[in-house]
Amino acid sequence: MLDDSLARKAQKHLYKAAREVKFDKDILKILEKPMRILEVSIPIKMDSGKIKVFKGFRCQYNDAKGPTKGGVRYHPNVSEDEVVALAAWMSWKCALLDLPYGGAKGGIICDPTKLSQSELERLTRRYTTEIMPILGPHIDIPAPDVYTTSKTMAWIMDTFSMFKGYTEPSIVTGKPEILGGSKGRKEATGRGIAIITREYFKARKKSLKGAKIAVQGFGNVGGHAALFLSQLGAKIVAASDASGCLVNPDGLDIPGLLDCVEKHACVVKYPGKQIEGKELLYQDVDVLIPAALEDQVHQKNAGDIKAKLVVEGANGPVTPEGDEILEKKGITVIPDILANAGGVVVSHLEWVQAISGLYWEEDQVNAELERKMVKAFKHVWENAQQRKVSLRCSAYVVAIERIAEVYKYRGIFP
Ligand code: NAD
């Protein structure tokens, strides 16, 4: 593993938490390695009639607490290293939220913007077929991630069902509602970020009303987080995506911007003042929400961050070196495994609904999401106060102690 690899960075947080609680060294030996990695070759016929072979992965990091759960990413930067790091984070996230899941992640190295819908469908169906030996509603359950959608999940579900000979809605989450997708799933990660930010302000006895927020990555996660936070009275003063960055010191019109992104797939088509995309990170705001990709706040730029609070909407947007600099500057970071856990909480509810065949109303889903997120925040907050550690270290401690307890009862086979 390379020193600057994402998996290595993911491990650094684990080791820090393990040192804090003098964690059982034998259990640490298990947690520092992925349980299973599958690399697959995916040949598909392109629209031109030519064959192209793509590379894909599925990593199941740890399944001590239950079947593994995690998204599938289509992106040119997908690698074994990235998939392993993301699968590790999913393991800690599921344990922190006390879900009966382990963590997984998958991906295909491709540029989905250059593929037609029919090529994407063939790619998804062949990828599903290749990873089929390690898939199952009680083995490993995929979900959407960057550049995969509910439509992708429908193709995975259909391919799996065709091989089994019966319809199996519990094989994926994040699917369309008509196929058994949960109400509230699409908004869940953003809603969870708003809940956690609200709880943090409450714990600090501060008001969110008028708080200035910058959101990097106005996609599913960032867009919904902005919407729910603006409904709580916060002012979203900057929002960026791959196309650029929009700013308004009086607060952007978030419903209007969401409509614009829905129509044009970019924020810069919305009228208003624009700045360079990368400038978003350095805005003088109360809260910065990096909700695009990993490694955005690092050794070289963490010193320039002016926000008082960073809420990790994406997975791994702050590197361990960036984290240390922010901590020294007195900037609090709410870690990804807590902040963006709303998606997997509602994915779990979707899985429960599909298995039971009984579907919930949206207010029931949202109430359960609220309950789980508030409980996890309280646990992490109180543990951090008690141990005098960062919220990230506290969250990791809660998660890995829970997994260690599972091993205490299950033992190591054989
Ligand atoms: P998405 O594809 O809907 O949105 C990503 C957004 O980031 C897009 O608007 C894109 O234009 C923007 N972006 C890309 N590069 C950028 C850059 N350099 N600067 C600014 N913006 C940039 O994806 P998403 O589902 O919103 O996921 C975003 C992140 O959140 C990922 O790290 C994902 O792993 C993580 N996450 C997603 C969920 C979920 O439920 N979707 C759950 C937990 C974590």
Side-chain angles (χ1 to χ4, degrees):
M1 206 183 283
L2 293 173
D3 218 36
D4 66 342
S5 75
L6 198 61
R8 175 70 80 201
K9 287 176 193 159
Q11 277 185 344
K12 281 191 180 167
H13 298 311
L14 170 68
Y15 292 140
K16 194 170 177 189
R19 276 197 302 277
E20 171 61 30
V21 282
K22 298 188 178 52
F23 195 66
D24 182 330
K25 287 206 168 60
D26 279 338
I27 302 296
L28 188 60
K29 278 186 220 158
I30 304 173
L31 300 192
E32 67 189 359
K33 294 259 174 355
M35 174 181 84
R36 185 177 294 133
I37 308 169
L38 182 62
E39 180 184 314
V40 292
S41 202
I42 315 155
I44 65 157
K45 202 174 260 181
M46 305 299 281
D47 292 346
S48 64
K50 292 247 182 293
I51 287 179
K52 193 164 172 189
V53 183
F54 294 84
K55 193 190 267 190
F57 305 93
R58 185 75 185 165
C59 171
Q60 297 167 346
Y61 197 90
N62 183 284
D63 70 347
K65 275 185 108 279
T68 50
K69 186 87 193 77
V72 177
R73 181 176 290 197
Y74 291 176
H75 198 274
N77 296 345
V78 164
S79 64
E80 183 181 315
D81 168 49
E82 183 184 73
V83 165
V84 169
L86 291 165
W89 283 322
M90 277 306 290
S91 306
W92 321 142
K93 194 183 297 180
C94 292
L96 176 61
L97 272 291
D98 211 9
L99 303 173
Y101 286 144
K105 206 78 183 189
I108 302 176
I109 305 170
C110 65
D111 183 349
T113 61
K114 300 213 167 79
L115 297 172
S116 70
Q117 281 299 301
S118 57
E119 286 167 342
L120 277 172
E121 178 172 351
R122 289 193 291 279
L123 184 68
T124 303
R125 289 183 180 279
R126 185 63 190 246
Y127 170 69
T128 308
T129 312
E130 297 301 338
I131 65 166
M132 187 87 79
I134 60 166
L135 274 193
H138 297 284
I139 305 170
D140 183 12
I141 309 126
D145 191 72
V146 177
Y147 286 125
T148 54
T149 62
S150 58
K151 200 172 189 183
T152 323
M153 295 306 113
W155 291 329
I156 296 179
M157 177 198 146
D158 184 68
T159 305
F160 187 87
S161 300
M162 287 299 109
F163 273 90
K164 292 292 170 189
Y166 55 88
T167 298
E168 185 49 274
S170 52
I171 182 59
V172 284
T173 59
K175 53 196 172 288
E177 269 182 47
I178 190 77
L179 302 184
S182 180
K183 291 190 181 1
R185 171 61 187 89
K186 194 167 65 177
E187 302 85 358
T189 308
R191 192 184 287 280
I193 289 171
I195 294 170
I196 293 292
T197 310
R198 184 197 69 203
E199 288 305 296
Y200 174 82
F201 271 69
K202 215 192 272 177
R204 297 292 309 267
K205 301 194 176 15
K206 285 185 175 167
S207 170
L208 246 182
K209 288 230 165 13
K212 286 187 283 171
I213 300 186
V215 180
Q216 184 202 38
F218 203 79
N220 180 301
V221 174
H224 284 110
L227 179 68
F228 297 123
L229 282 163
S230 66
Q231 287 171 356
L232 290 172
K235 271 199 291 196
I236 314 302
V237 296
S240 72
D241 65 9
S243 71
C245 179
L246 216 60
V247 285
N248 184 343
D250 298 324
L252 294 159
D253 162 25
I254 298 302
L257 188 55
L258 284 167
D259 278 351
C260 169
V261 170
E262 178 83 30
K263 271 193 214 111
H264 305 290
C266 66
V267 295
V268 295
K269 286 269 158 105
Y270 196 77
K273 187 176 169 207
Q274 291 178 23
I275 57 169
E276 279 267 326
K278 60 178 188 311
E279 289 305 315
L280 179 132
L281 294 174
Y282 316 120
Q283 298 299 299
D284 192 1
V285 289
D286 298 296
V287 186
L288 169 66
I289 305 180
L293 291 168
E294 47 275 353
D295 280 355
Q296 297 302 303
V297 179
H298 43 74
Q299 198 162 17
K300 289 193 181 135
N301 68 357
D304 298 325
I305 303 290
K306 296 191 191 76
K308 297 172 191 73
L309 172 71
V310 175
V311 183
E312 292 188 319
N315 291 308
V318 180
T319 68
E321 296 75 23
D323 217 28
E324 275 175 27
I325 296 169
L326 295 183
E327 206 173 333
K328 279 193 194 122
K329 282 177 61 136
I331 299 173
T332 303
V333 178
I334 304 188
D336 46 8
I337 62 169
L338 174 63
N340 72 26
V344 72
V345 167
V346 174
S347 271
H348 172 240
L349 300 178
E350 181 172 325
W351 181 71
V352 167
Q353 291 171 71
I355 285 175
S356 65
L358 201 68
Y359 290 90
W360 299 9
E361 292 304 328
E362 190 169 347
D363 52 1
Q364 197 179 350
V365 172
N366 290 344
E368 185 59 11
L369 172 65
E370 164 86 22
R371 192 184 71 77
K372 282 254 183 213
M373 297 301 288
V374 170
K375 190 173 169 192
F377 176 83
K378 206 163 172 271
H379 199 153
V380 170
W381 177 260
E382 285 169 2
N383 186 47
Q385 307 288 308
Q386 225 169 38
R387 293 183 181 276
K388 299 194 177 15
V389 295
S390 69
L391 293 176
R392 189 187 309 279
C393 184
S394 169
Y396 270 69
V397 166
V398 174
I400 64 176
E401 284 200 317
R402 225 168 239 158
I403 299 177
E405 186 155 6
V406 170
Y407 279 111
K408 193 170 93 190
Y409 289 102
R410 286 187 66 164
I412 304 297
F413 180 82

